[in-house]
Amino acid sequence: GRRGEGASTGAARGPEPRGATTYSSTATSRGRKHTPQVVTLAKCANATIFLAKDLKLVKLFLEDCADCVIRLHCALVTSFVEASRCTGTTLETAALLHTVQCDLCERLTVRWLKPEVFDAAAPDGPRVYSAACRALTVDAGRGRTATADNLDDAVAGSGVAADEQQFVTQLVGAA
């Protein structure tokens, strides 16, 4: 598989799977004090990418990824991930996320690896915003799963084109 643009790989650390591309602060800092970064994983295909717990990231962008698994174990300063034009891709997070934005994706899954991490975003919980997505699945654990198709769910007669309507997926009233 292709590696994320502009990132380095290094020694495996933690529970990453065999054959995964691993990013860790040891691999990316090259002896300098590691400062938080914005990371874009673009045009990755048929890859498993592990973002180790020791990374210091501001935000994560996934662009044009196909048939990938992204395992997010590091904290994000903004608690924000954005995915655009991804197909058959899964974002698995062990990190606290408050916001995920998905645009123009097909068969994208956002999965919290531990329900308590999902629940830690209280009081409102994480929100997954989406526009023009097909088969978007949000898995909060404990059987709390929702799948949406923004184009099928678009509001007719709203004056806004179906591919321009924005939706939000949020668990309300249950933990």
Side-chain angles (χ1 to χ4, degrees):
R2 293 186 200 156
R3 297 174 194 250
E5 294 178 350
S8 301
T9 61
R13 291 192 136 130
E16 69 277 3
R18 259 191 149 150
T21 299
T22 301
Y23 301 108
S24 68
S25 66
T26 305
T28 58
S29 64
R30 299 204 195 308
R32 298 181 310 268
K33 183 178 179 187
H34 185 70
T35 56
Q37 299 179 30
V38 172
V39 171
T40 298
L41 299 176
K43 299 181 181 176
C44 298
N46 302 307
T48 298
I49 299 166
F50 183 84
L51 298 167
K53 188 174 184 172
D54 65 338
L55 280 172
K56 292 177 177 35
L57 301 183
V58 174
K59 191 181 292 187
L60 175 63
F61 291 95
L62 309 175
E63 298 176 355
D64 297 299
C65 293
D67 302 310
C68 292
V69 176
I70 313 302
R71 294 198 167 120
L72 179 65
H73 284 256
C74 61
L76 300 175
V77 173
T78 60
S79 187
F80 181 91
V81 172
E82 183 171 333
S84 62
R85 298 176 306 281
C86 294
T87 57
T89 294
T90 300
L91 169 66
E92 295 179 339
T93 183
L96 178 66
L97 291 178
H98 284 93
T99 306
V100 179
Q101 175 73 46
C102 308
D103 299 315
L104 304 166
C105 295
E106 187 170 331
R107 297 182 338 275
L108 178 73
T109 298
V110 180
R111 177 176 298 123
W112 276 261
L113 294 174
K114 296 179 179 178
E116 51 276 7
V117 174
F118 180 90
D119 297 337
D124 296 328
R127 292 183 179 153
V128 178
Y129 294 91
S130 58
C133 289
R134 291 222 176 256
L136 170 65
T137 300
V138 176
D139 182 352
R142 293 188 190 119
R144 301 173 298 177
T145 303
T147 300
D149 188 308
N150 299 156
L151 299 177
D152 287 347
D153 297 336
V155 178
S158 69
V160 178
D163 62 351
E164 294 176 1
Q165 293 182 28
Q166 187 170 35
F167 294 81
V168 63
T169 303
Q170 178 181 18
L171 182 64
V172 178

